[in-house]
Amino acid sequence: MGLFIRKSIEMLQAEAQQSGSKTLKRVLGPVSLVALGVGVIIGAGLFSITGTVASEYTGPAITLSFIVAAIGCCFAGLCYAEFASMIPVAGSAYTYSYATMGELIAWIIGWDLVLEYTVAATTVSISWSRYLVVFLQGIGIELPHAFSACPWDGGIVNIPAMLIVVLMSLILMRGTAGSSFFNGLIVFLKIGVILIFVFLGWKFIQADNYVPYIPENTGKLGEFGISGILRGAAIVFFAFLGFDAVSTAAQETRNPQRNMPIGILVSLLVCTILYILFAHVMTGVAHYTEFEGQEGIAPVAIEHMGYANSAGVIEPVYPWLNKAIILAILFGYCSVIMVTLLGQSRVFLSMSHDGLLPPFFSRINERFRTPVHSNCLFMIVVSLLAGFVPAQVAGEMTSIGTLLAFTLVCAAVLIVRKTMPNVHRTFKTPFVPFVPIMGILTCLCMMCFLPADTWIRLVLWMLIGLDVYASYGRKHSKLEPEQAHRKGDIVLNILGLALSVLCIITGLWHQQTVGWDADRTLLIISFVFAFTHCAYYMLRIWKQSKEIKPLT
């Protein structure tokens, strides 16, 4: 089978049944998995992006945008749930692709997931630092800007962002049971603040703020009206991303065939309900136009939760709620950072276990029963990125990486229904092929609307990953070890050339978008990567053809 060799379901299920001090400890039940999903899905975006979307695109109909986005996300969630019940092994989309589309595709998606979780943890830790600065300012403590921002933002190093990554990594290293309890506590506090906001704000809802519920379109596509609801759905779609991290904990789950689908689908349902309630109250206590230009919705909405005095000015009844929301954001970010760090270490563990990465990363600590080496690696990498890289560089990379993973998982369901129809599943994706096809189309549509520079960084990362696989992974794969030549090498080389050409195209696309007089750093980097990799893969093709000829 060569580079497209697949891991059998029997082999994966045997791995799932392994036990002992050198394996991951099964401690997670359905409640812990739901908490894990809710912990990573609900972040500070709920408290910030909702106001922007309502004021610029949807008006009070932002609740409809959340429903549309949830339906779109549910397509991918249903596909993930089938695989989680069928292949209960750590690795998420990487493992699913290995079983259905072969080693090379699995490597690509695994490398993509590592990028997704790394940039997600980096971005969130930087935002956590910003909110910490705001919270401390509120109680009279000023952190020096030099040590709470990266060099690109006028500082020297972002120490709070680095420290939160180290803290969450240490909690993960101590064991999944402890980190699950910590995450559950954070989720409880975070949901508590959301429900308090909904409960206290409900009685201050003004029905007039909902009129019109769907504001008339301004004449521009995406500005209110039906097209505004759809554009709003595309933006708030990213508020649902993260549930796939639940599937990376399959080997630490009790009865994963039953509990994994519950964790994935229930966490999506819980978050959808909370989002709709929150948005409904938010646009009810204050008119949607008042959120325009605001960094967060908390100050605006809370100022309207009160009664007018003799001068007609509303006096807030719950001024303390603003600080409570900032605290919820801080706690919420902690759980997001922890779950993304867990996800990337488990994907690395699976790739190392299959021989595609050095065995160092798949060693399990006998005391804590966790992949400490992988945790340490990402603790160092993510903390350095958080300390010295601006958030905007990493932000959108999370979305494109996640959407690529979703697309491949939806496609894999279509494949597995044809190639493995008799394999036992405790959960089946309903309405196949409609659900997987809609999942693919939804994700591809979202990817197409992302900026060109995001595509450049994705292609560069994929080229680096292809280099690692070509130089190490293909030679050390446990399914076909120590083989100088493998069937499909030519596909690997052609893929490298194709990505090099795509690197040039995305570089030109980005420069055309920002203007030819703008900074050309990304264009130069994309051209250098493209031409060096073209030379590298053409040299590989020439060498392999010379070595194969004498054998024939």
Side-chain angles (χ1 to χ4, degrees):
M1 292 292 291
L3 302 187
F4 292 94
I5 190 170
R6 296 181 297 185
K7 290 188 77 172
S8 68
I9 296 296
E10 292 75 20
M11 184 183 298
L12 289 168
Q13 290 175 343
E15 290 178 9
Q17 298 301 321
Q18 290 177 355
S19 60
S21 61
K22 294 186 177 181
T23 61
L24 297 171
K25 191 175 182 180
R26 295 190 180 277
V27 295
L28 302 177
V31 176
S32 298
L33 289 173
V34 171
L36 201 69
V38 173
V40 73
I41 294 172
I42 297 181
L46 173 64
F47 302 102
S48 56
I49 195 173
T50 47
T52 302
V53 173
S55 64
E56 297 181 7
Y57 306 115
T58 67
I62 187 174
T63 51
L64 300 180
S65 291
F66 274 119
I67 293 172
V68 173
I71 292 171
C73 206
C74 187
F75 292 139
L78 290 169
C79 295
Y80 265 91
E82 175 166 336
F83 274 113
S85 70
M86 180 178 166
I87 310 173
V89 181
S92 185
Y94 160 76
T95 304
Y96 308 154
S97 300
Y98 212 152
T100 56
M101 292 182 277
E103 183 177 288
L104 179 57
I105 304 299
W107 168 267
I108 292 171
I109 198 61
W111 192 252
D112 169 68
L113 287 173
V114 171
L115 171 69
E116 172 198 337
Y117 293 133
T118 299
V119 296
T122 300
T123 306
V124 174
S125 59
I126 295 170
S127 295
W128 184 90
S129 173
R130 291 173 179 171
Y131 276 100
L132 178 67
V133 170
V134 172
F135 178 76
L136 292 178
Q137 286 174 343
I139 57 176
I141 300 175
E142 287 284 342
L143 288 181
H145 182 73
F147 299 108
S148 57
C150 72
W152 280 270
D153 291 333
I156 298 174
V157 59
N158 195 335
I159 292 178
M162 298 179 73
L163 289 178
I164 191 63
V165 172
V166 172
L167 177 61
M168 293 300 103
S169 297
L170 292 175
I171 291 174
L172 281 174
M173 290 180 205
R174 291 282 299 175
T176 305
S179 57
S180 174
F181 174 78
F182 179 75
N183 179 69
L185 180 62
I186 290 176
V187 169
F188 176 78
L189 293 172
K190 184 162 52 175
I191 291 178
V193 170
I194 294 173
L195 292 178
I196 288 172
F197 176 86
V198 171
F199 178 76
L200 296 180
W202 197 275
K203 63 181 178 180
F204 294 105
I205 289 176
Q206 300 293 323
D208 292 344
N209 289 331
Y210 294 130
V211 181
Y213 195 73
I214 303 178
E216 187 177 351
N217 184 264
T218 61
K220 293 183 179 180
L221 184 68
E223 289 188 6
F224 305 107
I226 300 300
S227 66
I229 292 173
L230 295 177
R231 175 167 288 183
I235 296 172
V236 301
F237 178 86
F238 302 114
F240 289 92
L241 303 186
F243 69 86
D244 57 310
V246 175
S247 59
T248 64
Q251 281 182 266
E252 293 153 282
T253 302
R254 301 189 302 268
N255 192 6
Q257 287 89 348
R258 180 181 72 91
N259 292 335
M260 290 302 295
I262 293 174
I264 292 170
L265 297 177
V266 174
S267 62
L268 270 176
L269 177 63
V270 169
C271 291
T272 301
I273 293 172
L274 289 174
Y275 284 176
I276 292 172
L277 287 174
F278 190 90
H280 180 73
V281 172
M282 178 195 80
T283 53
V285 298
H287 197 267
Y288 69 88
T289 55
E290 297 187 51
F291 296 109
E292 186 174 358
Q294 301 293 328
E295 291 187 3
I297 63 98
V300 178
I302 292 167
E303 285 173 4
H304 286 74
M305 292 183 187
Y307 303 98
N309 57 23
S310 57
V313 178
I314 296 177
E315 294 183 352
V317 179
Y318 312 111
W320 52 267
L321 192 55
N322 193 19
K323 287 187 175 64
I325 287 179
I326 294 177
L327 270 178
I329 291 171
L330 287 171
F331 282 120
Y333 269 163
C334 287
S335 62
V336 174
I337 294 167
M338 186 172 65
V339 177
T340 51
L341 288 171
L342 180 144
Q344 65 188 178
S345 65
R346 280 8 178 218
V347 173
F348 233 57
L349 166 74
S350 296
M351 297 172 76
S352 174
H353 185 269
D354 293 331
L356 305 185
L357 289 171
F360 176 80
F361 297 112
S362 57
R363 292 175 188 162
I364 304 296
N365 182 277
E366 294 189 18
R367 179 183 176 189
F368 299 123
R369 305 278 290 278
T370 56
V372 172
H373 296 149
S374 290
N375 288 135
C376 285
L377 171 68
F378 288 112
M379 179 182 72
I380 295 170
V381 172
V382 175
S383 62
L384 288 174
L385 289 173
F388 295 99
V389 174
Q392 64 183 29
V393 172
E396 289 168 338
M397 292 301 298
T398 307
S399 298
I400 196 167
T402 306
L403 289 168
L404 179 58
F406 285 5
T407 302
L408 288 178
V409 169
C410 290
V413 167
L414 294 173
I415 295 172
V416 82
R417 286 294 182 92
K418 295 292 185 182
T419 58
M420 306 173 189
N422 298 321
V423 174
H424 176 69
R425 306 159 170 82
T426 55
F427 178 87
K428 275 192 171 186
T429 303
F431 308 114
V432 174
F434 174 77
V435 168
I437 290 175
M438 288 303 298
I440 293 170
L441 293 177
T442 302
C443 294
L444 289 177
C445 181
M446 301 291 179
M447 290 175 71
C448 289
F449 283 96
L450 288 170
D453 59 335
T454 304
W455 279 92
I456 293 176
R457 295 186 181 99
L458 176 67
V459 174
L460 294 179
W461 178 255
M462 287 295 127
L463 276 172
I464 294 171
L466 216 59
D467 296 342
V468 175
Y469 179 72
S471 59
Y472 183 90
R474 60 175 290 279
K475 299 176 183 177
H476 296 85
S477 170
K478 289 186 178 180
L479 296 185
E480 289 187 347
E482 304 300 330
Q483 291 193 25
H485 302 286
R486 296 178 63 185
K487 185 179 179 181
D489 275 338
I490 187 64
V491 177
L492 173 63
N493 296 328
I494 292 174
L495 181 59
L497 292 173
L499 284 174
S500 300
V501 173
L502 186 59
C503 197
I504 295 174
I505 294 172
T506 53
L508 294 172
W509 173 29
H510 168 68
Q511 201 62 44
Q512 177 68 29
T513 303
V514 299
W516 293 98
D517 294 330
D519 183 74
R520 299 184 181 182
T521 303
L522 273 178
L523 179 66
I524 294 170
I525 292 173
S526 62
F527 269 61
V528 170
F529 259 76
F531 287 119
T532 53
H533 280 82
C534 275
Y536 173 67
Y537 285 103
M538 288 177 71
L539 181 63
R540 278 177 55 86
I541 292 173
W542 178 76
K543 281 186 175 181
Q544 288 172 0
S545 64
K546 296 282 286 184
E547 292 170 356
I548 292 173
K549 277 182 181 179
L551 298 176
T552 57

